[in-house]
Amino acid sequence: FAEAILSRAVLVVEGSTEASLLPVASQIMEQTLGADAYSHLDLDGVSIFNADGDGAVPRFGPVFASLGKLSFGFFDKPNNPLTNDAKTKLESYSTFWEAPEKGIENVLLAESPFEVVKRFMAQASQREDFPDIAPYNPEASQADILELARKVLKARKGEAFGYAAMLIAQCEHADELPQTVRGILQSIHDSLKG
């Protein structure tokens, strides 16, 4: 929280999975788009704040607004419609985004090129902490590989394992990043440069 208060701007996310993958995506964007087109969150002075739970992002909008902080929020598609209170609190953010899918794992898999998912599964399956769900078969159907990847990402959720960040790291160019992730990062960058 102290880091967020001292930063130029803050991006509030629901959990450690999002908090761990966004800096990796930001690095890929900076390296492949060039510093003139995009600069890393850290260089732009943006702190990522983990709200630590589903539905927790709206609560922090008024907090950062009261501090005069440029703030952004990103949260999962909710299971139930947002309450009027949550909607009001979200309006405190400079900009906020609702994920197009329930669960960041589903967003990543729906929006990542299949070759990125295959590279991720090839690397992840060699790790000692690969979950004991099913072995990875690179010859399996696309649907089977995506389903196994979904189960693996859910089983190894959070920054402690870093599997979602590992999937993002398989993107060789900004064009391979999930559209939602890239759009949020570019929008934040543009807001700070504008």
Side-chain angles (χ1 to χ4, degrees):
F1 191 74
E3 180 184 328
I5 290 172
L6 296 173
S7 65
R8 178 177 175 201
V10 62
L11 170 58
V12 181
V13 297
E14 281 188 332
S16 61
T17 300
E18 294 87 347
S20 67
L21 71 85
L22 286 164
V24 176
S26 187
Q27 181 177 2
I28 291 166
M29 288 179 66
E30 183 180 53
Q31 289 173 344
T32 62
L33 296 176
D36 290 340
Y38 180 85
S39 54
H40 194 280
L41 289 171
D42 288 344
L43 295 177
D44 276 345
V46 180
S47 174
I48 298 176
F49 181 78
N50 177 359
D52 208 22
D54 289 345
V57 170
R59 176 174 66 208
F60 289 97
V63 173
F64 289 114
S66 71
L67 296 170
K69 187 71 53 189
L70 185 61
S71 60
F72 307 94
F74 173 49
F75 57 95
D76 274 351
K77 180 183 277 294
N79 290 326
N80 300 307
L82 292 172
T83 65
N84 286 335
D85 182 55
K87 289 178 186 176
T88 300
K89 288 177 177 175
L90 283 172
E91 293 300 325
S92 299
Y93 284 105
S94 307
T95 308
F96 64 88
W97 299 270
E98 178 182 305
E101 308 259 349
K102 177 66 185 148
I104 189 66
E105 302 82 12
N106 293 326
V107 173
L108 298 179
L109 293 173
E111 297 182 3
S112 295
F114 184 57
E115 287 306 311
V116 169
V117 177
K118 286 183 74 172
R119 291 193 297 260
F120 159 69
M121 288 300 293
Q123 182 183 25
S125 65
Q126 300 304 308
R127 289 177 51 134
E128 288 184 15
D129 64 355
F130 188 76
D132 189 20
I133 297 168
Y136 169 59
N137 175 4
E139 303 303 318
S141 71
Q142 181 170 335
D144 287 345
I145 290 173
L146 287 172
E147 185 55 32
L148 178 58
R150 182 173 287 102
K151 290 177 180 176
V152 166
L153 286 170
K154 285 186 181 275
R156 295 297 181 254
K157 203 169 172 69
E159 68 182 333
F161 293 105
Y163 273 56
M166 187 191 326
L167 184 147
I168 291 295
Q170 298 307 310
C171 296
E172 295 173 352
H173 192 276
D175 292 342
E176 289 188 333
L177 289 170
Q179 179 182 346
T180 298
V181 171
R182 181 176 175 180
I184 289 169
L185 293 174
Q186 189 65 59
S187 181
I188 291 170
H189 172 79
D190 293 346
S191 294
L192 294 169
K193 297 302 182 198

